[in-house]
Amino acid sequence: MWIGKLSCFVQLMFILSLFQVPAFAIKKSYVVYLGSHAHGPQVSEADLHRVTDSHSEFLGSFLGSTQKAKEAIIYSYKRHINGFAAILEDEEAAEIAKHPKVVSVFLNQGRQLHTTHSWDFMLLEKDGVIHPTSLWKRARFGEDTIIGNLDTGVWAESESFSDEGIGPIPAKWKGICQNDTTGFPCNRKLIGARYFNKGYASYAGAPLRSSFNSARDHEGHGSHTLSTAAGNFVAGANVFGLGNGTAKGGSPKARVAAYKVCWPPINGSECFDADIMAAFDAAIHDGVDVLSVSLGGDPSNYLDDGLSIGAFHAVKNGIVVVCSAGNSGPAAGTVSNVAPWMITVGASTLDREFQAIVQLRNGLRLKGTSLSKPLPEDRFYPLITGAQAKAANASAHDAMLCIGGTLDPQKVKGKILACLRGDTARIDKGEQAALAGAVGMILCNDKASGNEIIADPHVLPASQINYTDGIAVVSYINSTIDPQGFITPPTAQLNAKPAPFMASFSSQGPNTITPEILKPDITAPGVNIIAAYTQATSPTNESFDKRRIAFNTESGTSMSCPHVSGVVGLLKTLYPDWSPSAIRSAIMTTARTRDNTANPMKNASFIEATPFSYGAGHIRPNRAMDPGLIYDLTVNDYLDFLCAIGYNKTMMQLFSESPNYKCPKSASLLDFNYPSIVVPELSGSVTVTRRVKNVGSPGTYAVRAHKPLGVSVTVEPNILKFKNIGEEKSFKVTLKAKGLGVTKDYVFGGLIWSDGKHYVRSPIVVSSAAAAAV
């Protein structure tokens, strides 16, 4: 979030006030990753102490004494992840990295945080009625599946985490409610809560105040995401009276656990690798089935990335890890959380809008959106653009963006101010307008935001409109000496078209770490999502806003991620023995790529979107429970993948915890059994292999290919016959450049296996070697 200079100063003062003493870190915090533990099924406290001692002894051999090592170590990862986080000098870290028992050493990096109608839109219900064939009914609403959340914690008192109608805590649960004696209540629904802040504190260079020793959510993000994944049924949920309905998560009868790893931002980072890895290690031990992770940073090598490492260990233990794709769109190559063992989720719209119509005196009525209060009177008001209202010392550019200190109150007072989206937060623009005396605000999208309009709880009457309509408003204001307009009070409207379309902020492929793996995998609702919220802060998260609400709307891939996590919870309940990759395959191969007008999904500029935006498509939960065929992967398949991209034998043995694992003599990335096919440098022709497992009734599947432009597609065999459940068969796909070949950038197609009932879809993405070089 961008904020003005004054707000930055205030935020800095606030952050400094969180610490007991000012300090400057001379050393840096590093994560030393040693691979996996080889614990048996029963791990004693003595075993764990021995691990801690071994870490101290190992580090002590570099620092000169075990005592110095104990003082330097902030985390010892001792259950599933083997390694530690410690305060080290750069030279010390470099020496440790050379040791043959070390997989990787990397800085404790900072990351950023990347919701009622959603489930109706995804057909789990229709107009509040749940059909007997719905995945909700079949999977008993996710009953007794345990969904964990790595985020900003949880507001435990929210009705979404009530244990009404919930049975005893599952016997397998080993987690705790940390610091529950200080008034943090867990129950049969919210069965666990932990906090991890040592990595955050080490980055700040000072001890934290005691108020930080809690999993309580003071920001709202964690409560929102966790309730989206698995919140209980709450009747009458709304935001300022809008969107009224029964709020519930994707797995409303699942149990939830909060792992607080994100804190007030320092230099733009809120969540740190050392804390994230500690949370993963704890969650695996506690017994979660699904982990929802709505945070991330710039993609990096898999074994230099704490989130990637933690997710691998979780998946190795049968836990499905769902991550947000990031909010750095619409630029290409911005997608994060790209490890192939994660499910990576993009964000798209619903068919619900909170409409606030902008009416101009010239007769134009422009559809906008907002959650703000109405104008004080039902009449037209004078209009002015930010550029026209600029202060004497401000530029027209900055004033049009309504940046703090750029507006002249004498020009703005009593008028509706038109501001341009960009550079600063949407909410902050409204605050600047109000401070300057505006009676209302029209927030006009910039070109990059296109048609994506977001309903925010502005502090003054407001409406956000799309790029084209914004041009019309500014043109009208500039065309007359007495421009006037009105903003209608917001109302909730359903059946908006087209929907879904991709959010402009949703990060896009290609995958910059391993282009052969398509990311994101899937898209889900992530715009204007209503879900539970904290009572510790306002709906805008701004100190000037004194309002408190039980539910709030938020937008981001942070919101789409828990939608998928909730569906995963249902599938885990229905198919407890399915692997994480089987569940991902079921979700991907049953997705849709058309909107509610039966046309191909579009991006926010209403241009046809591609798999780099939506992966396999938009999630369809009811279809995912009966996919017919799945593309499965084992832990060894993931290890083979790492070998194929260049990790050596010694590193893989440490990573796998098995002394018997050996990298295959030949491992092809193109043959990695992913539910999508990407060939980033096609020259001539290439043949890839895939393997499918029958999880439905016996049947015969025939293949149909949608060929990418300039590429021929041949599949052998083109018929697959399955007699038994669990039966596996392989096939080969040959892609060949036709004529002059693939002449520009990436082209897209698809593969569909069908027995007449099931349609098992896989995206195909191809570029030429020449295009890849450019």
Side-chain angles (χ1 to χ4, degrees):
M1 181 183 294
W2 292 93
I3 53 180
K5 293 179 180 177
L6 178 61
S7 297
C8 280
F9 177 76
V10 171
Q11 186 183 39
L12 177 60
M13 292 300 99
F14 170 69
I15 293 297
L16 291 175
S17 72
L18 299 174
F19 306 107
Q20 293 174 341
V21 292
F24 296 92
I26 299 171
K27 300 182 178 183
K28 301 172 185 175
S29 50
Y30 282 87
V31 174
V32 178
Y33 178 53
L34 303 173
S36 298
H37 289 293
H39 296 315
Q42 300 297 324
V43 184
S44 67
E45 285 299 318
D47 293 330
L48 300 179
H49 282 305
R50 278 193 287 271
V51 171
T52 303
D53 290 344
S54 71
H55 290 162
S56 298
E57 290 168 8
F58 177 80
L59 182 58
S61 68
F62 293 91
L63 301 188
S65 75
T66 302
Q67 184 57 39
K68 286 183 179 179
K70 289 180 177 179
E71 293 170 358
I73 292 175
I74 58 175
Y75 280 117
S76 183
Y77 309 123
K78 51 195 178 184
R79 293 188 179 276
H80 299 274
I81 301 171
N82 187 7
F84 55 88
I87 309 296
L88 301 169
E89 294 178 359
D90 293 345
E91 293 78 6
E92 293 167 341
E95 283 302 311
I96 294 169
K98 297 175 184 177
H99 196 281
K101 290 186 177 180
V102 173
V103 176
S104 58
V105 177
F106 52 92
L107 277 170
N108 173 33
Q109 302 168 80
R111 300 175 184 272
Q112 302 82 40
L113 292 162
H114 283 164
T115 155
T116 48
H117 180 67
S118 302
W119 309 112
D120 188 290
F121 184 62
M122 292 191 285
L123 300 180
L124 284 173
E125 61 181 348
K126 189 63 177 174
D127 298 326
V129 177
I130 303 170
H131 195 272
T133 60
S134 166
L135 176 57
W136 262 350
K137 281 290 182 75
R138 295 281 181 88
R140 306 186 308 281
F141 300 97
E143 185 178 57
D144 290 345
T145 290
I146 302 171
I147 299 179
N149 195 37
L150 272 63
D151 213 294
T152 64
V154 62
W155 191 261
E157 293 82 1
S158 169
E159 288 185 77
S160 291
F161 308 117
S162 163
D163 61 3
E164 182 178 351
I166 305 292
I169 295 172
K172 72 171 187 175
W173 179 246
K174 300 177 183 177
I176 62 170
C177 192
Q178 196 171 5
N179 278 7
D180 59 352
T181 57
T182 62
F184 189 93
C186 288
N187 55 34
R188 297 188 308 276
K189 173 70 174 180
L190 176 61
I191 60 175
R194 297 180 186 262
Y195 61 88
F196 304 86
N197 57 25
K198 294 177 182 177
Y200 175 79
S202 70
Y203 183 86
L208 303 176
R209 293 188 183 278
S210 59
S211 59
F212 269 56
N213 295 329
S214 170
R216 184 169 292 284
D217 180 13
H218 293 282
E219 197 269 355
H221 193 274
S223 301
H224 199 282
T225 55
L226 187 56
S227 65
T228 300
N232 207 341
F233 295 92
V234 182
N238 64 84
V239 182
F240 301 122
L242 294 169
N244 190 62
T246 299
K248 59 274 187 186
S251 289
K253 294 295 183 183
R255 315 309 173 97
V256 296
Y259 298 86
K260 183 171 182 176
V261 297
C262 300
W263 308 88
I266 303 175
N267 297 330
S269 296
E270 300 144 294
C271 331
F272 288 84
D273 275 358
D275 299 326
I276 291 167
M277 290 178 66
F280 268 108
D281 205 34
I284 298 167
H285 162 264
D286 290 348
V288 303
D289 300 301
V290 183
L291 279 170
S292 190
V293 187
S294 290
L295 56 93
D298 294 336
S300 59
N301 292 329
Y302 303 118
L303 301 189
D304 292 331
D305 180 332
L307 206 162
S308 170
I309 292 169
F312 178 85
H313 286 272
V315 167
K316 190 165 69 170
N317 283 274
I319 300 166
V320 186
V321 180
V322 187
C323 297
S324 48
N327 300 332
S328 299
T334 51
V335 63
S336 65
N337 295 326
V338 296
W341 42 84
M342 304 169 173
I343 301 176
T344 308
V345 188
S348 42
T349 64
L350 291 168
D351 66 343
R352 178 187 63 196
E353 296 175 331
F354 296 105
Q355 290 185 6
I357 304 298
V358 174
Q359 185 171 339
L360 305 180
R361 177 65 94 174
N362 67 359
L364 276 179
R365 286 175 58 86
L366 307 171
K367 184 179 70 175
T369 189
S370 181
L371 291 172
S372 65
K373 59 188 178 183
L375 286 163
E377 297 178 37
D378 187 11
R379 64 175 178 86
F380 284 103
Y381 288 83
L383 300 176
I384 189 170
T385 68
Q388 292 173 339
K390 78 178 190 70
N393 61 345
S395 70
H397 174 271
D398 288 352
M400 193 63 216
L401 290 164
C402 297
I403 294 171
T406 65
L407 302 171
D408 185 340
Q410 291 186 344
K411 297 176 182 178
V412 174
K413 187 175 181 181
K415 299 176 183 176
I416 296 175
L417 178 68
C419 299
L420 181 64
R421 183 177 177 181
D423 282 21
T424 59
R426 302 183 303 273
I427 289 291
D428 185 65
K429 295 178 189 293
E431 170 65 4
Q432 299 307 321
L435 288 173
V439 71
M441 177 184 69
I442 302 171
L443 181 55
C444 306
N445 268 6
D446 57 4
K447 189 173 183 179
S449 300
N451 295 288
E452 170 204 275
I453 52 179
I454 296 175
D456 290 313
H458 291 286
V459 295
L460 81 171
S463 180
Q464 182 180 343
I465 58 178
N466 68 28
Y467 174 63
T468 303
D469 290 346
I471 292 175
V473 166
V474 174
S475 296
Y476 166 67
I477 295 173
N478 289 332
S479 71
T480 178
I481 59 172
D482 186 26
Q484 295 183 28
F486 179 72
I487 301 171
T488 65
T491 58
Q493 301 293 326
L494 300 178
N495 302 314
K497 294 180 180 180
F501 64 82
M502 295 306 301
S504 67
F505 57 74
S506 186
S507 292
Q508 296 194 37
N511 181 338
T512 57
I513 303 301
T514 313
E516 293 83 357
I517 302 297
L518 178 64
K519 291 289 180 174
D521 294 306
I522 199 77
T523 188
V527 179
N528 299 335
I529 305 301
I530 296 177
Y533 203 62
T534 180
Q535 293 293 291
T537 190
S538 69
T540 62
N541 255 178
E542 298 286 354
S543 58
F544 56 74
D545 188 356
K546 305 304 179 185
R547 298 172 296 175
R548 296 294 184 270
I549 54 178
F551 291 85
N552 196 14
T553 63
E554 292 200 2
S555 298
T557 55
S558 281
M559 284 65 248
S560 56
C561 168
H563 277 87
V564 175
S565 303
V567 174
V568 168
L570 298 172
L571 294 174
K572 284 288 283 188
T573 301
L574 193 61
Y575 305 113
D577 297 327
W578 275 18
S579 69
S581 58
I583 289 175
R584 175 180 54 213
S585 176
I587 289 172
M588 289 179 66
T589 60
T590 58
R592 62 170 173 161
T593 58
R594 293 186 176 268
D595 60 28
N596 58 0
T597 68
N599 290 305
M601 282 178 61
K602 297 176 173 63
N603 64 20
S605 297
F606 285 179
I607 299 169
E608 186 172 333
T610 75
F612 283 152
S613 296
Y614 55 65
H618 191 279
I619 189 170
R620 292 197 288 185
N622 291 330
R623 295 291 183 95
M625 71 173 159
D626 184 19
L629 306 176
I630 57 167
Y631 295 82
D632 211 354
L633 288 162
T634 66
V635 172
N636 274 4
D637 289 324
Y638 290 124
L639 296 174
D640 292 349
F641 162 84
L642 291 171
C643 292
I645 62 175
Y647 288 100
N648 62 43
K649 172 185 175 182
T650 302
M651 195 177 288
M652 286 301 93
Q653 285 181 339
L654 293 170
F655 194 52
S656 69
E657 83 183 39
S658 170
N660 299 319
Y661 175 78
K662 294 181 180 179
C663 284
K665 291 182 179 179
S666 62
S668 169
L669 276 180
L670 296 179
D671 292 339
F672 184 62
N673 203 42
Y674 216 69
S676 53
I677 297 172
V678 182
V679 181
E681 297 185 21
L682 179 62
S683 179
S685 67
V686 67
T687 299
V688 304
T689 302
R690 290 293 185 270
R691 181 183 71 254
V692 288
K693 178 188 293 185
N694 180 37
V695 293
S697 53
T700 300
Y701 284 79
V703 72
R704 185 170 78 250
H706 295 286
K707 300 173 183 178
L709 182 65
V711 179
S712 68
V713 180
T714 307
V715 183
E716 289 291 339
N718 59 8
I719 299 289
L720 297 176
K721 295 182 179 180
F722 295 92
K723 297 180 180 180
N724 302 300
I725 293 176
E727 186 178 355
E728 294 189 70
K729 290 185 179 294
S730 296
F731 63 92
K732 295 182 181 295
V733 181
T734 299
L735 304 170
K736 183 177 182 180
K738 297 189 296 184
L740 296 176
V742 186
T743 59
K744 63 173 186 177
D745 201 20
Y746 283 88
V747 289
F748 307 92
L751 202 68
I752 302 174
W753 287 99
S754 179
D755 62 352
K757 176 185 177 183
H758 305 95
Y759 296 86
V760 187
R761 297 175 172 87
S762 293
I764 298 176
V765 180
V766 181
S767 79
S768 69
V774 174

